[in-house]
Amino acid sequence: MTHRLGVLLIILLTSSLAFTQIPKKELTAFRTSAAVIIDGNPNEEAWKNAAVADHFTELRPTPFKSEDTANATRIFIMYNNEGIYIGGNLHERTKDSIASELIGRDGFGNNDFVGIIFDTYYDKLNGFEYFVTPLGEQMDAKQAPNMNGDSEDFSWNAVWKSAAKIQTNGWSFEMFIPYSAIRFGPKKIQNWGLNIVRRRQKSGQQLFWQPIDPNTNGFLTQEGLLKDLVDIKPPLRLQFSPYMSAYLINDGTAVQKTKKTSTSINGGMDVKYGINQAFTLDMTLIPDFGQVQSDNRVLNLTPFEQRFTENRTFFTEGTELFNKGNLFYSRRIGGEPIHYWDAGNQLKPGESIASNPAQGKLINATKISGRTQKGLGIGVLNAITKPQYAIIENGAAEKRKFETAPLTNYNVLVLDQTMKHNSSVSFVNTNTMRSGKDYDANVSALLFDLNDKTNTWNIGGSAGMSALLNKKGKDVLGYTHSVYLGKTSGQFRFSVYQDLSNATYDKSDLGYFTNNNTMDQGAWLSYRWTKPKSWYNQLRVNLNGFYSRLVSPLDEVKGKEKMYQRAYGNMNANAQSKKLWWVGMNITVNANYNDFYEPRARGRVFSNKGGVGISAWWESNSAKKISYGGQVFIGQGGVFKRKSADMGIFGKVRFNSKFSVDFNINTENANNQPGWADMLYASNPSQKDTVIFSRRNVRSVENTLNIKYSFTNRMGLTMRTRHYWSKVKPVEFYLLDPSGDLVKPGFDYAQNRNQNYNYFTVDMVYTWQFAQGSFFNIVWKDIGEDFTRTFEKNYFKNAGNTLSGQQFNSLSLRVIYFLDYLTIKNRKRTNV
């Protein structure tokens, strides 16, 4: 038996080596001097001499299967002194085989598409991607490695030309990518990594020019080659995007005697300047983020802050370098003022807070990023926020200011050196400097990620330090490290890891941070079947194990194991069926655990029982006009034998290529859930505060509705409506004793700790791209938020109360005009 297990283990560990090496395809670049009109028809004479990429191969659903000749793909590539031309014909038996939907820029939707991927530094790590759909909509992205593998950043946007046309025997396209829309080094003769992807949505096919092995780690590691681009030189890259915006705001939440309606006119500019062939400076001056999508706020019952998605364009575009090491959380810039909650403590008798802005005001932000020919990536981001004040007034209408945030400078520095075999070494530093007496913060980390020459084994990790300077009169230093090892290619893969932060490590000033003094370690194992079998196209099964403990014991915790936090095991699986449905399941078993955070008091612990959770999900074929899916979860466990039952459903109806509606409904229900309820502060400093827990029932419902109508591939109207409702009903109250157990209180605790929270948002956006890189936007936003200690049992009455309550409304108009220095210069020459 032992011998058989050993043989099986050897087979699993070496499975990736059993695959035949895939021959690398090459194209020799062709230079043209002929004029080409980008109209979607690659029929000019110049295309006849272009390099041809054909004979595509499936990745999905059947790896290595050659494409059907009736659906053949032929792509043409050539270049001149200004940029790269790509054209192609994508054949289909009939027009009905083409999937097309107007979805908006960077939205794949229910579309066929073709994409060109260039690895201009040929380092097999960093790439530029350009896609176009049959209706001519564009998508683009930058690709860079992260700790979870390849990562595509679709928030990066370049200005380039494209057109597409649906033909009787398929569809065709043309692209022109100017050198200003891509980065490359100064070599006289350039060799670029190249791959081309085609999606046929209705058949579920994804095909590549250079075949991709799904059992091999990485995507760019398997690229082909575009060679002999001679004497191409990046132009002067100087681009301006001035904007003008106007707002009409009605703030129903404003305090009494304060003007509720206001208007404003704003102006500013984004600047993009190519410092040299590889590095770009981006700057936003007097930015205006008033039209970004509203946050998905929830009733946060955890001891940690809610993490929000970044929707501000400047902090999402081209930031892949700054995300290394997970030290930078861009919502810190312009986020909640550091002394926002201290304003209430400054009130004197008879005073009240007239205003207290919950967000900082950004003055300007600048970032410089790029990569040298030798693979050194450099990123510098700097942002400045102005001082913020709360206005305090008394009954005599006298007002005074309280500074909630000083003038603050935020800085991120990244150095990232790529090496052989898809490996890299990086250094990351974040720095927060505040004027006045407030403390400063600095965090640094060194990262490494190494692969062997077969691209099968991976080892990596990081080591970092944090420094809070002059915090409460002293400097506080902290330490963190992580290390991981795994097999990253083959049908069988695994990873083991450890993450450690000591009790004083703190990256919260410019990073998202929950807790320190923790050592987490775990293992992940995965087996995948990538070739279609009887009922599935692909199938994956994963196993996870996790164990966590404190780094330093808490002396205040008595009578319990002082170091152990939690442990769990998990098994999950997912598969795609032959009918292009997706299904999955998840089983998690939690051991008894010690929660050092839920008590909301340092040195206290809550000892909870373990439990079991089971979930399943499904999703229908998204290529159909009506698609849908859902998920269910049931679980039980904990000291009160909690029972949870969650459910969600979603769906989308595409009436035609222009008009679609989709919805998402999620409900969560938990009975007998233990959780923090209140804190009774001791009047005597020598005594401990009293921590109140409750056995509670929690209900929440989230509804999201999206309506989209596209007039053309450059003009559309969208509306997103979301209503979130959550209520918490304590059934019984308990005291948390020093050992971490819950006991009945020896006194009558009669505080109302009911919670009823509503958050309602509407984001309606009309956008028109009236020229390359230039936009006209009209946005209406409505936000309603309500928190009470009383319940409304009926969902519709509750929603009606929220809608009839205090609302924040804004109607805004914004015009952004893209100006390119070389384009203006060439026009002047033409006119002369």
Side-chain angles (χ1 to χ4, degrees):
M1 183 67 178
T2 304
H3 173 72
R4 290 180 180 178
L5 289 175
V7 172
L8 176 61
L9 181 61
I10 293 172
I11 292 173
L12 290 174
L13 293 177
T14 60
S15 60
S16 64
L17 302 178
F19 292 93
T20 304
Q21 285 286 343
I22 302 171
K24 294 298 181 183
K25 291 186 175 182
E26 294 184 359
L27 290 182
T28 300
F30 172 75
R31 179 185 282 273
T32 183
S33 58
V36 177
I37 299 174
I38 304 299
D39 60 4
N41 283 317
N43 52 12
E44 289 97 339
E45 192 69 22
W47 291 110
K48 295 181 180 180
N49 298 313
V52 179
D54 54 9
H55 301 296
F56 278 52
T57 303
E58 274 189 30
L59 171 63
R60 299 185 184 97
T62 308
F64 308 117
K65 180 181 178 181
S66 299
E67 68 178 344
D68 191 331
T69 55
N71 304 317
T73 309
R74 280 180 66 84
I75 306 298
F76 315 107
I77 301 178
M78 55 189 181
Y79 71 103
N80 63 12
N81 290 332
E82 283 73 44
I84 309 290
Y85 289 93
I86 305 103
N89 295 305
L90 300 99
H91 295 282
E92 297 285 354
R93 285 185 172 89
T94 66
K95 282 186 178 181
D96 294 337
S97 300
I98 302 172
S100 60
E101 177 188 14
L102 289 172
I103 195 70
R105 183 172 178 130
D106 287 336
F108 286 94
N110 185 57
N111 275 302
D112 290 354
F113 64 72
V114 64
I116 313 299
I117 301 96
F118 292 121
D119 174 6
T120 56
Y121 295 97
Y122 204 29
D123 61 6
K124 303 183 184 296
L125 285 168
N126 300 276
F128 297 88
E129 305 178 348
Y130 307 86
F131 303 84
V132 68
T133 71
L135 296 179
E137 289 189 318
Q138 294 181 347
M139 295 87 77
D140 46 22
K142 290 179 75 174
Q143 188 168 135
N146 61 20
M147 293 178 65
N148 300 314
D150 294 335
S151 172
E152 292 176 297
D153 176 15
F154 280 94
S155 64
W156 176 80
N157 287 317
V159 178
W160 47 285
K161 295 180 181 180
S162 66
K165 285 191 175 181
I166 295 178
Q167 313 284 1
T168 57
N169 62 341
W171 62 285
S172 59
F173 76 95
E174 290 178 306
M175 297 179 183
F176 175 67
I177 303 170
Y179 294 135
S180 59
I182 199 166
R183 308 288 177 267
F184 53 89
K187 286 185 177 180
K188 179 179 178 61
I189 300 176
Q190 304 248 348
N191 292 330
W192 293 358
L194 171 70
N195 213 336
I196 307 169
V197 59
R198 178 186 180 185
R199 182 171 81 172
R200 301 183 66 241
Q201 176 73 345
K202 291 184 178 181
S203 66
Q205 287 177 295
Q206 194 173 24
L207 306 106
F208 285 85
W209 169 66
Q210 172 64 53
I212 299 295
D213 183 348
N215 292 319
T216 296
N217 176 42
F219 171 71
L220 293 180
T221 57
Q222 305 183 63
E223 64 197 4
L225 178 65
L226 176 65
K227 63 180 184 179
D228 296 343
L229 294 107
V230 181
D231 287 332
I232 60 171
K233 298 178 181 179
L236 174 64
R237 293 182 284 117
L238 180 58
Q239 300 163 348
F240 305 92
S241 295
Y243 82 86
M244 183 70 69
S245 62
Y247 287 82
L248 173 62
I249 295 174
N250 182 270
D251 187 359
T253 66
V255 297
Q256 292 183 352
K257 299 180 182 180
T258 301
K259 189 176 179 181
K260 295 182 181 293
T261 303
S262 62
T263 60
S264 64
I265 296 178
N266 309 303
M269 182 184 299
D270 291 342
V271 180
K272 189 182 292 287
Y273 172 62
I275 300 173
N276 56 25
Q277 295 96 328
F279 288 90
T280 302
L281 180 147
D282 290 277
M283 179 179 292
T284 182
L285 305 172
I286 319 178
D288 174 15
F289 301 121
Q291 291 191 336
V292 300
Q293 181 178 296
S294 304
D295 288 326
N296 290 339
R297 293 187 178 273
V298 299
L299 178 62
N300 186 5
L301 298 178
T302 75
F304 310 119
E305 68 171 314
Q306 182 184 356
R307 180 165 187 162
F308 295 109
T309 302
E310 178 60 86
N311 295 317
R312 298 172 297 178
T313 304
F314 181 85
F315 294 106
T316 59
E317 286 189 355
T319 56
E320 70 283 348
L321 271 175
F322 303 106
N323 293 327
K324 284 186 174 293
N326 197 27
L327 297 183
F328 177 47
Y329 177 43
S330 59
R331 290 294 294 263
R332 288 283 182 256
I333 301 174
E336 185 177 273
I338 188 174
H339 297 301
Y340 175 80
W341 296 102
D342 295 337
N345 299 327
Q346 305 300 313
L347 299 180
K348 300 175 182 178
E351 288 186 331
S352 62
I353 298 176
S355 66
N356 187 12
Q359 294 182 333
K361 185 68 174 178
L362 183 64
I363 299 175
N364 62 59
T366 304
K367 59 189 176 190
I368 298 173
S369 61
R371 191 172 295 275
T372 69
Q373 190 68 47
K374 294 184 178 180
L376 176 62
I378 302 174
V380 180
L381 185 148
N382 198 83
I384 301 174
T385 57
K386 65 189 301 184
Q388 197 72 273
Y389 299 92
I391 304 300
I392 299 174
E393 64 180 7
N394 58 22
E398 296 174 332
K399 297 182 179 180
R400 62 186 179 92
K401 292 182 177 181
F402 169 71
E403 186 179 78
T404 57
L407 178 71
T408 306
N409 188 90
Y410 301 93
N411 184 269
V412 184
L413 168 67
V414 182
L415 302 175
D416 176 57
Q417 179 64 59
T418 61
M419 300 183 296
K420 289 182 179 180
H421 313 312
N422 201 27
S423 302
S424 65
V425 176
S426 308
F427 172 78
V428 184
N429 175 265
T430 67
N431 185 271
T432 305
M433 296 183 64
R434 302 180 175 95
S435 65
K437 298 180 180 179
D438 283 301
Y439 74 94
D440 301 327
N442 188 283
V443 181
S444 297
L446 182 66
L447 302 85
F448 67 99
D449 187 79
L450 307 175
N451 296 282
D452 73 328
K453 64 180 181 180
T454 67
N455 199 25
T456 302
W457 296 92
N458 170 258
I459 186 172
S462 65
M465 292 191 65
S466 67
L468 307 182
L469 307 177
N470 194 33
K471 185 168 186 178
K472 297 181 179 179
K474 63 179 182 179
D475 297 342
V476 181
L477 302 181
Y479 166 79
T480 185
H481 79 245
S482 67
V483 63
Y484 53 89
L485 168 69
K487 181 175 180 287
T488 55
S489 290
Q491 286 184 273
F492 172 71
R493 306 182 185 194
F494 75 89
S495 177
V496 293
Y497 63 90
Q498 182 189 83
D499 299 318
L500 181 148
S501 299
N502 73 357
T504 54
Y505 179 75
D506 188 347
K507 63 175 182 178
S508 61
D509 289 272
L510 200 44
Y512 180 77
F513 180 75
T514 55
N515 58 288
N516 52 23
N517 190 24
T518 184
M519 181 171 66
D520 302 334
Q521 45 225 337
W524 164 80
L525 298 91
S526 174
Y527 197 87
R528 56 189 65 193
W529 293 264
T530 56
K531 292 183 179 180
K533 295 293 184 181
S534 56
W535 64 271
Y536 63 83
N537 285 329
Q538 55 178 292
L539 171 65
R540 300 185 184 192
V541 177
N542 304 297
L543 296 174
N544 296 278
F546 178 83
Y547 175 84
S548 178
R549 55 166 285 178
L550 299 180
V551 176
S552 303
L554 301 178
D555 295 334
E556 301 92 333
V557 178
K558 305 297 182 181
K560 294 285 182 181
E561 164 58 50
K562 296 182 181 181
M563 305 291 280
Y564 166 73
Q565 292 195 87
R566 65 174 58 232
Y568 67 79
N570 168 271
M571 182 186 76
N572 62 84
N574 62 80
Q576 185 192 48
S577 75
K578 288 294 184 64
K579 294 186 177 181
L580 305 185
W581 281 56
W582 285 94
V583 293
M585 56 79 64
N586 189 310
I587 300 175
T588 301
V589 179
N590 289 285
N592 296 346
Y593 63 93
N594 295 322
D595 191 333
F596 295 93
Y597 315 106
E598 184 64 16
R600 322 289 169 99
R602 178 171 173 76
R604 304 297 297 273
V605 63
F606 166 51
S607 298
N608 201 3
K609 300 293 185 181
V612 178
I614 302 174
S615 65
W617 60 270
W618 67 96
E619 181 178 341
S620 72
N621 184 350
S622 60
K624 302 292 185 181
K625 286 191 173 183
I626 299 177
S627 58
Y628 52 90
Q631 65 275 340
V632 294
F633 168 82
I634 56 173
Q636 66 175 13
V639 292
F640 300 129
K641 298 182 179 180
R642 167 193 52 82
K643 292 184 178 181
S644 299
D646 305 338
M647 184 177 69
I649 58 173
F650 62 89
K652 181 176 182 178
V653 180
R654 290 185 296 107
F655 296 93
N656 51 46
S657 63
K658 294 184 177 182
F659 181 43
S660 66
V661 176
D662 66 81
F663 69 91
N664 197 318
I665 302 173
N666 290 293
T667 65
E668 296 181 5
N669 299 274
N671 291 327
N672 299 323
Q673 179 190 84
W676 180 89
D678 199 4
M679 182 79 73
L680 303 180
Y681 294 99
S683 57
N684 189 336
S686 63
Q687 297 177 335
K688 287 188 176 182
D689 299 330
T690 300
V691 181
I692 306 293
F693 267 59
S694 71
R695 176 171 63 87
R696 64 197 184 189
N697 297 333
V698 181
R699 306 284 185 270
S700 66
V701 181
E702 181 183 36
N703 287 288
T704 306
L705 176 68
N706 292 283
I707 301 174
K708 182 269 304 178
Y709 187 86
S710 298
F711 302 96
T712 70
N713 60 6
R714 291 173 174 263
M715 182 190 299
L717 179 68
T718 63
M719 185 180 77
R720 180 182 189 270
T721 302
R722 175 181 179 267
H723 177 228
Y724 171 85
W725 178 29
S726 184
K727 59 180 183 179
V728 180
K729 175 66 176 177
V731 178
E732 196 171 11
F733 293 102
Y734 294 82
L735 299 182
L736 181 68
D737 73 9
S739 65
D741 295 324
L742 300 181
V743 297
K744 293 290 184 68
F747 57 92
D748 185 21
Y749 179 83
Q751 296 294 319
N752 181 2
R753 304 308 295 173
N754 294 342
Q755 299 182 66
N756 192 83
Y757 178 74
N758 285 271
Y759 194 72
F760 175 81
T761 60
V762 178
D763 293 88
M764 181 176 286
V765 180
Y766 167 82
T767 183
W768 171 34
Q769 184 180 351
F770 58 88
Q772 285 290 328
S774 301
F775 295 88
F776 174 80
N777 298 327
I778 300 176
V779 176
W780 174 59
K781 299 181 68 173
D782 178 50
I783 300 174
E785 187 175 23
D786 179 60
F787 178 86
T788 65
R789 296 290 183 182
T790 58
F791 293 142
E792 174 57 68
K793 295 183 180 180
N794 185 282
Y795 174 83
F796 295 101
K797 287 184 179 180
N798 175 80
N801 293 339
T802 303
L803 293 174
S804 61
Q806 296 177 336
Q807 306 281 311
F808 175 90
N809 281 274
S810 72
L811 179 65
S812 60
L813 180 152
R814 179 181 170 97
V815 180
I816 309 169
Y817 195 80
F818 175 77
L819 298 170
D820 181 76
Y821 170 77
L822 284 182
T823 301
I824 297 172
K825 184 178 179 180
N826 292 335
R827 284 177 182 172
K828 288 184 177 180
R829 286 179 179 176
T830 303
N831 292 335
V832 172

